[in-house]
Amino acid sequence: MNSSENSPESSPENWTVDDRCTNCDVARQLAPDLIREHDRKSQLIRQPRDEAERRQLLAAAHACPTRSIRPGNGPLDRATDPFPLALDETGDVLLLGHNSRQTAGATAYLCRRPTGWAMIDTPRYSEALAARYEALGPVTDVLLTHRDHAAHGRAYADRLGARLWIHEGDLAAAPDADAVLRGTDPVEVSPGLVAHPFPGHTLGSVLYVADGRYCFSGDSLYWSRTSGDIEVQEAVTWYSIEEQAASLERSLDALRFEWLLPGHGDKHRMPAEEADRRLRALAVRARALRTEPVDFAAVRW
């Protein structure tokens, strides 16, 4: 499987993926029929066949934290940037793209609220991107799911006039946060938007659930294409997988959502009843897990 084996005639741009890829998975989520994992990297398996597939590759290219996806040898044209992209037909959640190397390529989101937007984790910081988000309407809150995704939080909060949130367990990553979540009880941070402290991946990990529909799960839960199910990343746990299993048990009756929206791993939509069933089954599996040395190669994307 090699991008050089693709026929240039199928696309005048002759797309390529270079070897700077860090295997963050975001490109495979945005262009699943064109980019696959091979030898712990993303590789292009063929050129786009139509405009819809070209748009998928453009989204992957503008999201890629290493800018490894390019149309031929030329630079990526800023005019082709599709972000922010609406997640679904409501337009209430936007994918921000422009994933940052400083957050290991995590996906960030904007979620519409009655008084403006909440940003959940952050894309890479630039003035141009900040102005783009500002033009959508007020961004009132920047919600950090955990310490690994805190790199650009203060910059976006200051530029957009927003409150920066983090849990006390990860406060060292954002010591100047404007609002600090404490303990393990759910907290309504704004009407209809609830923070669920979820220690495990890190001590201060948090899930944010909006309107009982959208669960922004950071690195605590994700949809695995390999298993076709909700999973925890037990191979990459900085605090305690046993504590993460306890967080899941504690949260079962409180969590209700239709969209699972992680920082790493795939997104997935399902009926709330199915999400509840899958979470309960995951809780049973998680009881048997034990914290092991970090092994990124073992993540089941």
Side-chain angles (χ1 to χ4, degrees):
M1 184 159 45
N2 189 303
S3 61
S4 65
E5 296 173 358
N6 295 292
S7 170
E9 289 78 16
S10 62
S11 171
E13 294 171 320
N14 192 26
W15 287 85
T16 59
V17 180
D18 68 34
D19 61 6
R20 294 175 298 165
C21 171
T22 60
N23 203 32
C24 73
D25 192 56
V26 66
R28 301 191 293 268
Q29 296 167 26
L30 293 166
D33 296 327
L34 302 173
I35 298 177
R36 301 285 173 85
E37 184 178 11
H38 177 68
D39 195 23
R40 298 182 62 187
K41 299 277 188 181
S42 282
Q43 288 197 0
L44 191 70
I45 59 172
R46 63 175 173 81
Q47 295 293 321
R49 294 171 178 160
D50 54 31
E51 185 58 26
E53 290 190 342
R54 180 177 180 271
R55 287 196 296 269
Q56 290 182 13
L57 273 180
L58 283 169
H62 285 281
C64 176
T66 57
R67 291 294 190 265
S68 291
I69 305 167
R70 291 183 177 274
N73 296 321
L76 191 61
D77 186 353
R78 293 182 182 179
T80 63
D81 182 359
F83 294 104
L85 275 175
L87 174 72
D88 61 16
E89 65 280 357
T90 69
D92 288 339
V93 173
L94 306 178
L95 307 180
L96 298 185
H98 300 280
N99 301 33
S100 171
R101 293 192 68 172
Q102 291 178 257
T103 63
T107 297
Y109 307 86
L110 280 175
C111 180
R112 193 193 312 273
R113 310 309 309 145
T115 57
W117 297 88
M119 180 181 284
I120 300 90
D121 290 332
T122 67
R124 65 179 178 84
Y125 184 82
S126 78
E127 171 58 29
L129 290 175
R132 188 179 304 177
Y133 309 143
E134 183 179 48
L136 296 172
V139 177
T140 59
D141 298 278
V142 176
L143 309 174
L144 299 177
T145 59
H146 64 296
R147 72 184 191 199
D148 307 350
H149 297 177
H152 310 291
R154 186 74 264 167
Y156 271 111
D158 287 347
R159 171 62 178 79
L160 299 171
R163 295 179 297 175
L164 180 65
W165 293 73
I166 199 166
H167 191 277
E168 62 180 343
D170 284 358
L171 186 57
D176 54 355
D178 305 298
V180 180
L181 298 162
R182 302 188 185 278
T184 57
D185 291 336
V187 176
E188 190 171 48
V189 301
S190 68
L193 181 57
V194 179
H196 295 263
F198 210 87
H201 176 71
T202 65
L203 177 58
S205 288
V206 180
L207 312 183
Y208 295 95
V209 179
D211 306 323
R213 293 196 66 198
Y214 305 102
C215 178
F216 302 95
S217 58
D219 291 349
S220 295
L221 303 170
Y222 74 108
W223 182 262
S224 168
R225 296 186 302 277
T226 300
S227 67
D229 209 345
I230 301 175
E231 301 289 359
V232 295
Q233 292 185 357
E234 70 270 21
V236 186
T237 301
W238 304 115
Y239 177 52
S240 167
I241 195 63
E242 293 90 346
E243 285 297 320
Q244 192 164 350
S247 294
L248 181 55
E249 289 275 5
R250 184 180 59 253
S251 302
L252 285 176
D253 291 333
L255 285 176
R256 187 171 182 83
F257 58 85
E258 300 172 14
W259 271 104
L260 181 61
L261 302 170
H264 294 287
D266 218 343
K267 303 167 286 295
H268 192 70
R269 187 179 195 174
M270 67 201 103
E273 295 76 13
E274 178 185 341
D276 179 73
R277 174 176 58 80
R278 290 185 181 277
L279 286 174
R280 293 181 186 277
L282 175 60
V284 173
R285 300 196 302 275
R287 290 176 198 146
L289 299 176
R290 297 294 179 265
T291 298
E292 301 285 348
V294 169
D295 181 5
F296 286 96
V299 174
R300 291 167 295 167
W301 296 115

